[in-house]
Amino acid sequence: MARIKNVRIFDSDHTVLDAFRNSGLNLAIAIPNGLVKDISATPSKAMDWVNENVRPYYPATRIVAIIVGNEILGGQDTGLAEALFGAVVNIHDALRAMRLSGRIEVNTPHSEAVFGTSYPPSAGTFRPDLMPYLKPLLDFFSKTGAPFYVNAYPFLAYMSDPEHIDVNYALMKPNAGILDQKTNLHYDNMFEAQIDATYAALEAAGYSDMEVRVSETGWASAGDATEPGATLENARTYNFNLRKRLFLRKGTPYRPKRVVKAFIFALFNEDLKTGPGSERHFGLFKPDGSVSLDLGFKGLTSSSSSIKGWKILRYSATLLSSTFIFLALST
C-alpha cells in the first residue's frame, strides 16, 4: 500500500519470509550478532544457515541481501570483531556453492564508531585500531562489488551536542551550513556530510571506487526528557526532507555522480524495545498499523488478516532510494 519496494529485517524470521512470497518486494535478511562467531568458525554452519533461511524461500521470496551482524566493529567484543570477516566469507561461499552469490549480496553495516575523524567531511578516516578488521572486509567487498554500509544518524549527533550543532543543519532545514576548507565544498545538511566523511575515509584507506550506502537513518518522534530534539515535528521534518532529497536522484557534494541510497529506520515503532524512550519511537507506523509520521502513507485497514500481516512486519525498516523506498525492520 505504501509502495515500499525494499525492506530490511534484522533476522530471518520464517513467518516474515513466508509473508513476502510472491510479493515482488526486495528483502534483505540478517544474521544476528549472536550467530556470527559460530558461522565464522565453522563453514558448515554457514551452509546450514543458508539451507534453512534462503534455499526454502528463494526465489519466491526475493531475497537480495544477507546482512552479517550489525555495528560489530567499534564495539566492546574483540572476539566478535575478529569473527566478522570469516562469517562474511563463509556465507558468501555457501551462496556460491548454491550458485546464488551473483544474485544475493553479502554485507555488514557499521556505526559511526568506526571513524577516527569525520569532521570536516574531507578529514574522514577510519580508526587505526580497527583497520586490521576493516581491511579484509574492504578487500573482499571490492572483489564482490558490494557497497560500504554505514548507519548515519544526524539525530544522534545532534543529541550528543545540542548546544553546538544547529538543529536545522541536522534536519535539512534552511541554515548557513558549513564550508569544508580543504575541498571548498559547502554542506547544508549533516546527512550528506556524514556520507562524504565515509567516502573520504574509504579514499584514505585506498578504496576510492567503493559506493557508500546508508544502512540506517532516522529521527525519533518522542523520547525521554534528556533526549533533546526527539519530537514528532522534528521526526516528520527529517524524514520528509530525507525522502524529498533522495527522490532527486543526486549524489553528495564530494560524489555528485553517486546517487544516494538509504534505509529509513524504521518501519514501525518498537513498543516493546528497552532502553531510552527514543528507541521506541523511530517508526513511520505504529505497532497497530496506524500512521506515526504523516509523510503521505496510508495506515493499514483493520481487517483481521491485515492486522495479522502488519504485526508480522513489526520487525522492519525501510530503505528510501532515489526512485523507491527501502525500509528497515528491527528487533
Side-chain angles (χ1 to χ4, degrees):
M1 289 175 59
R3 297 183 179 179
I4 293 163
K5 298 299 184 184
N6 298 268
V7 179
R8 171 189 169 197
I9 61 176
F10 285 66
D11 54 23
S12 56
D13 186 287
H14 290 182
T15 315
V16 178
L17 294 178
D18 276 324
F20 272 74
R21 284 185 189 273
N22 303 312
S23 66
L25 303 179
N26 296 328
L27 184 65
I29 63 177
I31 297 171
N33 289 0
L35 299 180
V36 168
K37 289 182 180 179
D38 282 346
I39 288 175
S40 177
T42 312
S44 62
K45 293 285 184 70
M47 183 62 74
D48 290 345
W49 191 92
V50 172
N51 275 325
E52 180 180 345
N53 298 290
V54 176
R55 186 188 284 274
Y57 303 98
Y58 186 87
T61 298
R62 192 180 293 176
I63 299 169
V64 297
I66 297 174
I67 308 300
V68 181
N70 188 52
E71 297 188 342
I72 288 177
L73 300 186
Q76 302 300 313
D77 192 335
T78 303
L80 191 58
E82 292 172 345
L84 179 58
F85 174 66
V88 167
V89 171
N90 285 345
I91 289 294
H92 181 268
D93 287 348
L95 290 173
R96 185 172 57 184
M98 296 181 185
R99 299 182 179 180
L100 293 176
S101 60
R103 300 179 183 182
I104 299 176
E105 176 187 287
V106 182
N107 215 311
T108 187
H110 305 284
S111 74
E112 294 287 325
V114 300
F115 298 105
T117 57
S118 59
Y119 183 86
S122 62
T125 56
F126 293 120
R127 282 170 44 184
D129 62 311
L130 294 181
M131 284 308 296
Y133 312 118
L134 270 171
K135 191 176 188 315
L137 286 168
L138 294 173
D139 285 342
F140 184 75
F141 294 148
S142 291
K143 294 176 182 178
T144 63
F148 183 87
Y149 277 104
V150 63
N151 296 341
Y153 281 97
F155 167 71
L156 296 179
Y158 171 74
M159 195 169 61
S160 69
D161 193 9
E163 294 184 3
H164 298 99
I165 296 176
D166 183 353
V167 68
N168 293 323
Y169 179 64
L171 291 171
M172 304 188 201
K173 294 176 68 176
N175 66 95
I178 67 163
L179 179 67
D180 190 318
Q181 298 288 346
K182 180 180 178 181
T183 59
N184 203 35
L185 294 173
H186 181 265
Y187 292 86
D188 60 12
N189 68 84
M190 187 183 294
F191 176 73
E192 290 184 350
Q194 290 180 330
I195 294 174
D196 276 355
T198 308
Y199 274 122
L202 286 170
E203 187 174 292
Y207 304 89
S208 58
D209 292 333
M210 188 171 291
E211 176 191 359
V212 173
R213 190 171 295 179
V214 177
S215 39
E216 290 181 31
T217 189
W219 197 287
S221 60
D224 299 331
T226 56
E227 296 182 294
T231 67
L232 184 62
E233 180 60 27
N234 283 348
R236 184 191 178 280
T237 298
Y238 180 78
N239 283 287
F240 178 82
N241 287 339
L242 175 69
R243 184 185 184 194
K244 181 172 64 175
R245 185 252 175 269
L246 294 173
F247 280 167
L248 293 176
R249 294 183 58 86
K250 69 172 188 175
T252 61
Y254 195 55
R255 289 285 190 273
K257 295 183 179 180
R258 286 272 196 182
V259 175
V260 173
K261 297 178 182 179
F263 279 98
I264 291 183
F265 186 87
L267 187 53
F268 292 92
N269 282 339
E270 301 176 81
D271 58 323
L272 302 181
K273 197 170 185 178
T274 59
S278 61
E279 292 286 348
R280 296 180 285 281
H281 294 93
F282 275 90
L284 302 183
F285 297 91
K286 297 177 182 179
D288 64 1
S290 61
V291 172
S292 175
L293 297 178
D294 183 9
L295 300 178
F297 296 126
K298 294 181 179 180
L300 199 66
T301 58
S302 59
S303 68
S304 59
S305 61
S306 295
I307 290 296
K308 180 180 179 182
W310 205 247
K311 287 183 178 179
I312 287 171
L313 291 177
R314 278 182 60 195
Y315 311 102
S316 86
T318 39
L319 170 61
L320 272 176
S321 129
S322 49
T323 54
F324 38 76
I325 295 178
F326 298 143
L327 279 161
L329 304 162
S330 85
T331 51

